[in-house]
Amino acid sequence: MLIEIPAAAGTAEALVARPSTGTGPFPGVILYMDAFGLRPRIQDMAQRVADWGYVVLAPNVFYREGKAGELAPAADMATAEGRAAAGKAAFPRVGRLTPDKAVADIDAWVKALGAIDGAAPGPIGAFGYCMGARLAVRTATARPDVVAACGGFHGGGLATDAPDSPHLALGNARARFVFGHADHDQSMAPDAVARLGEALQAAGLEASNEIYPGASHGYSMADTSAFHPEATERHFRELRALLDATLKA
């Protein structure tokens, strides 16, 4: 189902998924979408996580650009050509979602998650894909008081030379982290993975920071040509283990 959230610059839509069985309360998690936005694949992933026993909120972080339906990919992304065509529309939006805009919305997402019927009070998780991995890390570093689990999968730009690179704020975090990087990913090269690992270690954080062999950027997105079934299932296993250990222990 879609709900509306008062965010920093207007009203944002968000997908909500609840467990198919049980009455709760259930721990809450925020799912940050990839660059291609809210669409059936994100809804399917949110429901899969919900059925592990969680309330899942997936906000349209591009709400400044339009509603989720308006921004949904028009091309068939199952082909490389279709994915590239969708990217021409989607990727400029990623650049316009600057860190200051993204951070301004975090409190709204956290507040909205806590207000959902069936969501338990207490610590939450945040995880994301592609640029959503950056948003998950920023959520963990901006709200260490509530974020106990953070996951990032085929993320890009997590550890750069920029003064506002997400990895530089890891000293603020208290969460446990799991990263599943795409192999041969230009947006997260091996030196960047190593830099991220060093930052996690320097911050004294419990973390897994792995490269998934043979998996390209976008490997978890079954509606695109980048889909890698084995890497996708690995990421679901590692994400579930993270959430269960931190939010259900």
Side-chain angles (χ1 to χ4, degrees):
M1 63 173 285
L2 275 175
I3 65 170
E4 293 188 338
I5 298 170
T11 300
E13 298 166 296
L15 282 169
V16 173
R18 297 181 177 85
S20 300
T21 60
T23 58
F26 303 102
V29 295
I30 300 172
L31 186 169
Y32 286 109
M33 64 198 198
D34 65 348
F36 297 124
L38 296 186
R39 59 195 193 280
R41 175 55 179 167
I42 299 298
Q43 186 168 7
D44 290 346
M45 296 171 81
Q47 190 59 54
R48 179 164 177 173
V49 174
D51 285 336
W52 299 340
Y54 297 94
V55 171
V56 182
L57 177 80
N60 173 23
V61 301
F62 293 143
Y63 70 93
R64 294 173 179 84
E65 308 266 351
K67 292 187 175 295
E70 298 168 347
L71 303 178
D76 179 3
M77 297 190 295
T79 67
E81 296 79 10
R83 185 170 181 264
K88 288 181 180 179
F91 297 154
R93 292 196 288 265
V94 177
R96 291 192 291 269
L97 183 61
T98 55
D100 59 323
K101 291 178 181 177
V103 170
D105 289 325
I106 288 172
D107 285 345
W109 311 146
V110 172
K111 182 178 179 180
L113 177 61
I116 296 171
D117 288 345
I124 66 171
F127 64 100
Y129 304 89
C130 180
M131 58 97 189
R134 294 197 297 275
L135 299 180
V137 173
R138 293 195 191 281
T139 301
T141 58
R143 293 298 308 270
D145 55 315
V146 293
V147 180
C150 182
F153 303 96
H154 51 84
L158 292 167
T160 71
D161 294 327
D164 56 1
S165 176
H167 80 290
L168 295 176
L170 284 170
N172 297 332
R174 301 175 195 164
R176 184 185 301 185
F177 289 80
V178 167
F179 293 100
H181 304 289
D183 200 2
H184 303 296
D185 187 349
Q186 293 183 348
S187 67
M188 197 65 191
D191 62 329
V193 175
R195 184 184 296 146
L196 176 61
E198 291 165 1
L200 291 162
Q201 186 174 22
L205 296 166
E206 186 173 353
S208 172
N209 186 41
E210 301 290 333
I211 295 175
Y212 291 6
S216 62
H217 185 81
Y219 62 73
S220 70
M221 297 299 156
D223 58 351
T224 79
S225 59
F227 181 54
H228 190 290
E230 293 79 14
T232 297
E233 290 307 310
R234 177 180 175 181
H235 117 271
F236 275 126
R237 290 193 302 270
E238 295 185 2
L239 176 61
R240 185 172 190 176
L242 169 71
L243 297 179
D244 287 354
T246 53
L247 304 183
K248 291 186 177 181

